[in-house]
Amino acid sequence: MRIDLFELERSQSIWENTVEYNLTESGLHPFTMRELLDPHEIEALVDLPLGYGHTEGEPALREAIAARYPGAGADNVLVTTGSSEANMLAVMSLLDNGDEAIIITPNFMQLPGLAKALGAKVHQVPLRLSGSRWMLDLDEVARAITPNTRLISVCNPNNPTGGVLSADERSGLALLATRHGIALHADEIYRGAELAGPETETLFAAAPAGVITGGTAKAMALAGLRIGWIVSSKDIIEKAMQRQDYTTIGSNALGQRIALFALQPEKRARIVARNRRLLARNLDQLSRWVAVRSAIFSWVPPQAGAMAFLRYDLPVSSDDFCRRLRETQSVFAVAGSWFGMEGHLRLGIGGEPDHFRDALQRIDRFLQDEFATA
Ligand SMILES: Cc1ncc(COP(=O)(O)O)c(C=O)c1O
């Protein structure tokens, strides 16, 4: 099978554990089991049988996930190995060779890469920066629809911009999908990592064929559990289950049980509150940093997700910027070109504030050394 190089993931896998400051992470600083779990929960894990269990996900976990999507029940949920598997199963369930998919970009490049690998034709419809937000042009989406379009896919809250669709954009997308009988996929893995205000509304019930993917990696700061999910209609869940029989059979029992603990409302509220504190502190540091470097950087601060997307004005490609920054300062950032957005950088803002401050100082040193500016 021919498949595009997934530059972001490949680069992270190669470099993220070799640097002093990894700013490529878009999720929050991970919890340890000791920080997250009570002694009796840890005790329960020690006695957990490590069999296959329920390959579609433990019933209690499916229920706890469904509770986060108004209108969904446990039957609308399939538990997966990370939300990457959820995305993969969604694409495998919705697209065939020769179909067309509309991908709202920028987006996690897994979606277009997989769609193309399956033989689908991909139309990208870009979010555009307008004033202080990233806007979706619904007319442009409508124009991209053909009789072969089977899927519209969006990442909301968005990676890498941290923007969130407005209520009108959400309902407009859902209307288009419904009117044309197209599945509407929303990767909502950053839902719950809002910097302020209410949680982003899910697109689950917005369209009859709404397909939501999510997981514990980002907003719940538990990437190592490798737990994700699809929430959709029962027939799409059934298709995804049949495809999961070929991918991983089911997700890991330990990760599922810890995810179940983490999703209990009290514990989840504690996770979200801690995350908001971290994000607020780092966003504040970054805002002050960008403000005094406005000759180089411009941005729209993120609404959700532990990342900031900066535009820069320097005579260097984003790939070279990130490579040199990594080689000379041991700071690893995401090149905009890995999202098809040259002239941009994505910086993770979900780490420990002192560590983040030090990383910004290293970037200053880099700007001074390479461009005589900081
Ligand atoms: C938008 C988006 N979806 C999915 C994933 C993959 O998540 P997981 O670690 O749950 O597989 C990522 C990881 O960066 C992401 O940014």
Side-chain angles (χ1 to χ4, degrees):
M1 182 172 89
R2 280 171 168 272
I3 194 156
D4 288 350
L5 183 72
F6 195 164
E7 281 188 284
L8 170 66
E9 290 299 327
R10 195 79 313 267
S11 305
Q12 284 182 301
S13 295
I14 295 172
W15 302 112
E16 65 191 346
N17 295 307
T18 69
V19 291
E20 287 173 70
Y21 299 91
N22 175 25
L23 298 187
T24 66
E25 179 48 61
S26 58
L28 280 126
H29 190 67
F31 283 94
T32 63
M33 291 199 356
R34 197 181 299 285
E35 289 165 340
L36 186 73
L37 302 178
D38 305 332
H40 70 272
E41 290 168 334
I42 293 183
E43 198 54 38
L45 290 180
V46 176
D47 288 325
L48 182 74
L50 296 176
Y52 283 107
H54 295 260
T55 55
E56 65 281 11
E58 273 193 55
L61 177 58
R62 293 172 82 197
E63 258 169 48
I65 294 166
R68 311 238 318 101
Y69 298 86
D75 289 354
N76 298 111
V77 176
L78 173 64
V79 180
T80 58
T81 300
S83 90
S84 339
E85 190 194 21
N87 283 340
M88 181 180 190
L89 297 176
V91 170
M92 286 168 70
S93 304
L94 299 168
L95 289 178
D96 268 322
N97 190 14
D99 288 345
E100 296 184 23
I102 297 173
I103 312 251
I104 314 291
T105 55
N107 203 319
F108 190 51
M109 298 308 271
Q110 185 192 11
L111 269 296
L114 277 176
K116 276 197 260 171
L118 282 172
K121 188 169 165 193
V122 169
H123 300 269
Q124 298 196 13
V125 174
L127 296 166
R128 293 187 205 284
L129 196 55
S130 167
S132 61
R133 64 179 298 271
W134 292 88
M135 303 249 303
L136 176 62
D137 183 343
L138 290 165
D139 292 336
E140 209 172 332
V141 180
R143 281 196 298 276
I145 295 174
T146 77
N148 295 328
T149 307
R150 299 283 171 270
L151 170 67
I152 300 176
S153 178
V154 66
C155 180
N156 187 52
N158 183 259
N159 179 6
T161 67
V164 174
L165 293 178
S166 68
D168 284 351
E169 288 165 342
R170 275 201 318 273
S171 58
L173 259 190
L175 194 68
L176 282 173
T178 306
R179 192 181 293 153
H180 294 273
I182 299 169
L184 177 58
H185 166 245
D187 182 335
E188 295 183 353
I189 194 168
Y190 296 100
R191 179 171 172 245
E194 290 72 20
L195 282 107
E199 188 165 281
T200 304
E201 271 189 44
T202 175
L203 277 158
F204 166 65
V211 184
I212 307 304
T213 50
T216 62
K218 307 297 179 185
M220 295 188 67
L222 296 168
L225 297 186
R226 306 309 301 133
I227 292 296
W229 49 78
I230 306 185
V231 187
S232 190
S233 63
K234 287 181 197 163
D235 57 322
I236 290 176
I237 291 295
E238 178 61 34
K239 276 189 167 181
M241 282 174 176
Q242 290 171 11
R243 281 148 185 80
Q244 193 183 42
D245 295 338
Y246 280 95
T247 54
T248 58
I249 300 177
S251 59
N252 77 86
L254 200 55
Q256 284 196 42
R257 184 58 61 91
I258 299 172
L260 174 60
F261 291 144
L263 277 164
Q264 299 314 305
E266 258 176 41
K267 207 176 294 278
R268 190 170 176 280
R270 193 154 62 77
I271 294 173
V272 169
R274 174 279 215 170
N275 290 349
R276 280 201 179 194
R277 275 196 305 276
L278 266 188
L279 290 175
R281 285 185 61 188
N282 288 336
L283 190 71
D284 180 54
Q285 296 198 66
L286 186 61
S287 303
R288 285 186 277 116
W289 189 85
V290 171
V292 292
R293 289 157 190 80
S294 59
I296 304 174
F297 296 107
S298 56
W299 69 329
V300 174
Q303 293 167 273
M307 65 206 138
F309 200 50
L310 307 185
R311 188 178 171 75
Y312 64 83
D313 185 9
L314 290 169
V316 62
S317 70
S318 54
D319 201 56
D320 282 347
F321 187 115
C322 291
R323 184 179 49 76
R324 292 287 300 153
L325 179 62
R326 177 175 47 74
E327 288 171 353
T328 62
Q329 301 296 335
S330 202
V331 175
F332 187 28
V334 173
S337 62
W338 301 345
F339 285 95
M341 303 277 285
E342 193 44 276
H344 290 79
L345 298 177
R346 192 191 78 181
L347 301 184
I349 59 165
E352 284 171 336
D354 289 352
H355 194 70
F356 186 58
R357 179 205 56 217
D358 295 349
L360 291 179
Q361 283 171 2
R362 294 276 184 108
I363 299 178
D364 277 340
R365 218 180 290 162
F366 172 74
L367 294 172
Q368 186 61 49
D369 292 352
E370 302 267 329
F371 307 101
T373 178

